[in-house]
Amino acid sequence: MVNKLSWSTWDELQQSALRCTACDLGATRTQVVFGSGPKSVRLVIIGEAPGAEEDRQGFPFVGRSGALLDRLLNSVGIGRAEVYIANVIKCRPPDNRNPSAREIATCRPFLEAQLEFLRPEIIVPLGNFATRFILNTKVGITKLRGQIIDLPAGSMGTPPHLRAVVIPVLHPAAVLRGGEAAFSRAQVDFAVIAQTLSSLLAS
Ligand code: URA
């Protein structure tokens, strides 16, 4: 059982995630991919699950999807040093299959606790799994992408003091599959993220 009430510091949370064997992925992973980036950030990006390269290196978005994510961020003037990146589940599903409902539920307290510590003002879920996690919605990413959505205070187990907007975008793996046309569409959504971030920085 993963119990988030037992973590009073970020380090306790991280150590608990790194030791976790609460679901079957504990037996097949190489490394737990907890997340990366500075802890004082306004923007948190949430992916789905580690892939092969992330499982090898222990950091999120270090493979092909990561290179594309960097390209999209850089194209709108955002560097990795300005964002914290984490995934809905912390361990790689074998053969990069979709995470199961049980794996997501078991891992859920880790990401919820990360968000409670980080208190981002902008949350960017990449793709359907992360968008569903954050917004508890059945509406698909193709409808929601690029929209600025208020995260209701106290939703998804976050405390009332977490006020944030959510800007869902396509998962970089989907952008990769769609080629340059999909890249251009994704750039439009990343421009929304950059505008929202710069208006926060100016306020
Ligand atoms: N895809 C994800 O969703 N997360 C990663 O960390 C890498 C690829």
Side-chain angles (χ1 to χ4, degrees):
M1 244 290 268
V2 177
N3 178 6
K4 74 174 172 182
L5 297 177
S6 59
W7 309 314
S8 47
T9 65
W10 179 270
D11 279 350
E12 283 173 17
L13 162 64
Q14 182 161 3
Q15 288 313 313
S16 167
L18 296 183
R19 284 193 307 266
C20 183
T21 53
C23 80
D24 290 347
L25 299 181
T28 53
R29 71 171 181 239
T30 309
Q31 302 194 60
V32 173
V33 179
F34 179 69
S36 74
K39 292 197 284 291
S40 170
V41 285
R42 303 186 107 151
L43 171 57
V44 170
I45 295 179
I46 301 172
E48 181 180 313
E53 201 50 40
E54 290 76 21
D55 179 64
R56 218 180 338 265
Q57 296 190 33
F59 296 102
F61 286 99
V62 288
R64 280 186 73 215
S65 288
L68 190 87
L69 177 61
D70 285 337
R71 221 182 120 202
L72 281 164
L73 286 169
N74 293 337
S75 77
V76 297
I78 303 174
R80 275 230 188 180
E82 290 172 78
V83 300
Y84 191 88
I85 306 182
N87 281 307
V88 170
I89 66 168
K90 310 297 186 210
C91 297
R92 180 190 182 212
D95 303 319
N96 298 342
R97 63 159 169 75
N98 286 338
S100 71
R102 189 171 173 279
E103 287 155 1
I104 293 172
T106 307
C107 214
R108 179 172 200 94
F110 290 128
L111 181 53
E112 284 184 356
Q114 283 175 301
L115 290 170
E116 287 169 23
F117 277 113
L118 295 167
R119 294 196 206 173
E121 288 147 282
I122 307 173
I123 300 176
V124 173
L126 305 174
N128 272 319
F129 281 92
T131 301
R132 251 179 250 146
F133 183 99
I134 297 296
L135 293 175
N136 189 23
T137 178
K138 290 203 168 68
V139 183
I141 189 66
T142 41
K143 280 236 169 76
L144 293 175
R145 53 165 274 255
Q147 292 186 34
I148 304 174
I149 301 161
D150 271 311
L151 182 65
S155 72
M156 53 157 279
T158 55
H161 58 248
L162 177 63
R163 287 190 54 234
V165 295
V166 181
I167 307 176
V169 298
L170 289 180
H171 192 283
V175 179
L176 273 176
R177 286 192 295 273
E180 279 307 308
F183 184 84
S184 303
R185 279 198 299 276
Q187 252 185 329
V188 174
D189 300 339
F190 273 71
V192 175
I193 300 168
Q195 276 151 19
T196 310
L197 185 61
S198 57
S199 61
L200 274 178
L201 294 173
S203 66

